[in-house]
Structures are given as structure tokens and as C-alpha cells.
Amino acid sequence: MFYFLSKILDILLTPLAWSFALIAVGALGRGSPLRKRVLAGLGLGILLIFSLEPVSNALMRSLEDPPLRTYRPEVTYDVVILLGGLVEDRVEATWGQRAFNEDGERLLETYDLLRLAKARNAILSGGAASPSRMQVVEARALADQLVAWGIDPERVVVEDHSRNTYENAVDSSAIVRARDWKTVLVVTSAFHMPRAYACFREVGLGVDTLPVDFRSYKSPYSGELVPRAEHLAHSTGALREWFGRGIYRLRGYSR
């Protein structure tokens, strides 16, 4: 139930949904012409504001700064846990070819840790994103890619049941404890790391953290004030992560 509820909230708790709702109420709802114009104007204003680069960068920076990084270069970790969310399952299911989204840096960093012997083993954590696309299981796709790049299959452990960050932590920690691994490193996107770390702490597993895939920046923005879909997407992603943190605390998945 929580999984499906989270997907509904992903849609409802977005600037685009708010904008459409206000415009629809303004166009179809009852009330004076002034009230309708105000609602429609608010809807367009929301769409405009969250589509601007300074706004999207500020929202993403609020999640990434300061980065939650406790990685110790001098340590050879027993295992690195790569959290899913980077396989484009619909594309892969359609074309039968590996497809990664903009979070692909997570996989590259994990590969480097294994290749350079900074980690002895890896857990790939993530199940099928949708019951209708069970032929594409994220953890298996990630494991296959690491093996294709030359990593020994015996160093790669597949955790292919979890469907969210909390389940990632629960299922991965069970593997870690069963194998008596002591030093554990978690790799995920910088904006997502605080929620991931909180989940691992909640299940009682001590981990180090290596955030990657940073998306915000200190330097002045490009000077462009034209609203763009890519900025709206980044704003939406940042807001969803903030909502996710709040919902996880309410559910008791994190502290």
C-alpha cells in the first residue's frame, strides 16, 4: 500500500500538478471572473517560478549542501552498497538494450571502487520498478553491467526485492549481517544520501557514505531567465525528495 501511495504522491506533490489544478479550478470552477483569473494566474506563476534556473538550483542545493560524505580513502571496504534508481526499465523493456538515466554516476563510482580494490564486494539493491515490467529487475541489470565491465561475478551480490530506500536498507543490511561484513560504504546521489543514511541508521547498520551525482553549484547561474522544462524537472525532483524525507520520518523509516 505504501508503495502505491508514494507513487500517487509523486504525481500530486509536484509544481506541474499544482499549476494544472489551479488553472482547471480557475477555468471550470464557480466564482467571479476576478477569482478565476487570480487562480489561473497563480497556476501559471507556479509553473513559471519552478521552471527558472535560480529556483531549481537553490532547491537542489538545499538538499546537497553540505554533502553527507564520510568515505575514508584509506579503508578497503568489505562491501559497497549501490542503491537503485538509475535503470530506465521502460526503455530497456521496449528495446532490449541497457538504458540508464542521469543517475548513472552511481554505477560508475561503484565500478571504480571495485576496480581499484577500494571495496572487496558490492551489493546491488533494487527490484523491478513495476509489476508490469518484471523482466527488467534493476539490481540484476546493474550486476550484469559490472560483470560485463570485467568485475568478478563472485564479488557482486544481487538484492532484487526492494522497491524503495527503506527496503534497500532493510534487505541490504540483512545480507551484510549474514556475511559478517564489517566495513560498509553506501553510494547514491548527493541529494538522496541523507534519506538513505537515515534509513540505514534506523535499521541499525553503521555505514560510511559516498555521495555522487551532484546537480547544484555555487557559481552564479548562467544568467538565463527563460523558463525551461529541465529546470522544472530539477525543481520537481528536489521537492519530491523533501517530501520523501518528511514522509519517511512520519512512517518511522528514518529519524
Side-chain angles (χ1 to χ4, degrees):
M1 177 62 71
F2 175 73
Y3 174 77
F4 293 105
L5 178 60
S6 67
K7 296 306 178 183
I8 293 173
L9 290 176
D10 275 349
I11 297 172
L12 296 179
L13 299 178
T14 64
L16 190 61
W18 304 336
S19 177
F20 281 177
L22 286 168
I23 292 172
V25 171
L28 304 174
R30 297 180 179 180
S32 67
L34 176 60
R35 178 177 179 274
K36 292 184 177 183
R37 287 195 295 270
V38 169
L39 289 174
L42 285 174
L44 290 173
I46 288 174
L47 197 60
L48 171 65
I49 289 171
F50 287 104
S51 298
L52 297 176
E53 180 185 11
V55 174
S56 67
N57 183 58
L59 286 171
M60 192 58 69
R61 190 159 174 75
S62 70
L63 295 166
E64 296 181 339
D65 188 28
L68 180 53
R69 178 187 172 103
T70 61
Y71 170 64
R72 293 170 288 166
E74 73 278 7
V75 173
T76 298
Y77 288 90
D78 288 332
V79 64
V80 53
I81 301 175
L82 171 60
L83 302 187
L86 54 153
V87 173
E88 290 289 350
D89 63 313
R90 289 175 296 180
V91 176
E92 186 167 330
T94 300
W95 301 106
Q97 182 172 320
R98 193 76 68 235
F100 300 115
N101 59 30
E102 61 182 340
D103 298 332
E105 190 176 330
R106 301 182 192 181
L107 179 61
L108 295 175
E109 189 66 42
T110 300
Y111 170 66
D112 273 347
L113 290 165
L114 294 169
R115 178 179 64 88
L116 299 173
K118 295 294 185 179
R120 298 183 181 91
N121 306 283
I123 296 175
L124 295 315
S125 182
S130 170
S132 64
R133 293 185 294 276
M134 293 300 293
Q135 73 272 34
V136 181
V137 178
E138 177 140 22
R140 297 175 195 166
L142 297 174
D144 289 346
Q145 187 62 67
L146 288 174
V147 171
W149 285 343
I151 301 300
D152 186 342
E154 294 187 359
R155 301 174 66 192
V156 179
V157 179
V158 172
E159 183 286 291
D160 57 3
H161 298 291
S162 59
R163 296 187 296 175
N164 58 46
T165 305
Y166 181 68
E167 291 179 3
N168 289 155
V170 171
D171 294 346
S172 296
S173 65
I175 296 172
V176 169
R177 292 185 176 108
R179 302 200 178 204
D180 199 29
W181 284 329
K182 303 301 184 184
T183 51
V184 182
L185 179 67
V186 173
V187 172
T188 191
S189 298
F191 72 90
H192 179 241
M193 183 61 82
R195 180 156 59 110
Y197 176 73
C199 288
F200 279 96
R201 185 175 60 183
E202 185 65 26
V203 300
L205 184 66
V207 300
D208 279 342
T209 56
L210 180 54
V212 297
D213 181 35
F214 288 85
R215 301 179 188 182
S216 63
Y217 38 87
K218 287 183 179 179
S219 60
Y221 68 93
S222 64
E224 180 183 77
L225 287 176
V226 177
R228 295 195 181 277
E230 63 181 291
H231 302 320
L232 178 62
H234 285 157
S235 293
T236 300
L239 290 172
R240 286 169 62 184
E241 182 60 27
W242 276 118
F243 287 131
R245 291 184 186 183
I247 291 171
Y248 268 45
R249 289 192 184 97
L250 289 174
R251 292 282 300 178
Y253 290 170
S254 63
R255 305 176 195 177

